[in-house]
Amino acid sequence: MDRQLQVDQQSLVSAWQERLPALMEDGDSFSVQGDAADQNSLLIHFNAAGRQGYSLDFRCTYVDSREVAVNLLDAEQDGRVADERRDAVQLLAQQYTRQIHECAQALQGLTNP
């Protein structure tokens, strides 16, 4: 059975921009864009609410029409590279990874019709 992703990247970006806010914590913000290097990948940037000034960048790649692989690319605090081993970064990374997976699942009607 062919489970290749049949949705164009721009439609995916739009769907993610609509769906992701419902899964986010209050005050957090994000941006989603297509990965120019890979039509099946999205680049998702999160800004965490609060005084710590964390931002995290992820690549979300559609392995097929139902499954995504999520990779943390970068973590910053106040515009400087943050230590990804710190508990605060680990917790945010886990939270955002979960939200990415939830969003991908919520959009299965689009990606896996």
Side-chain angles (χ1 to χ4, degrees):
M1 180 107 158
D2 182 21
R3 295 199 201 286
Q4 282 288 301
L5 189 63
Q6 302 293 334
V7 183
D8 71 277
Q9 198 176 51
Q10 194 49 53
S11 298
L12 264 185
V13 169
S14 298
W16 276 77
Q17 287 170 337
E18 279 176 35
R19 190 70 187 98
L20 194 53
L23 303 168
M24 306 260 314
E25 303 284 320
D26 284 348
D28 285 4
S29 62
F30 74 98
S31 62
V32 179
Q33 63 187 57
D35 182 348
D38 182 357
Q39 283 299 302
N40 291 336
S41 292
L42 301 173
L43 300 174
I44 305 172
H45 175 83
F46 289 98
N47 290 308
R51 292 188 298 271
Q52 293 172 316
Y54 283 113
S55 64
L56 284 77
D57 291 305
F58 293 87
R59 176 179 290 116
C60 173
T61 303
Y62 277 85
V63 179
D64 60 27
S65 60
R66 295 186 310 184
E67 186 184 351
V68 293
V70 180
N71 294 354
L72 175 62
L73 301 177
D74 186 40
E76 293 187 351
Q77 185 176 20
D78 296 325
R80 292 186 302 278
V81 174
D83 185 347
E84 292 173 15
R85 295 173 307 233
R86 290 188 56 190
D87 287 349
V89 176
Q90 289 287 316
L91 288 170
L92 283 171
Q94 288 169 5
Q95 172 189 321
Y96 291 140
T97 298
R98 191 168 52 248
Q99 289 169 347
I100 290 169
H101 280 289
E102 286 172 9
C103 190
Q105 228 167 2
L107 293 174
Q108 278 197 359
L110 173 70
T111 60
N112 188 37

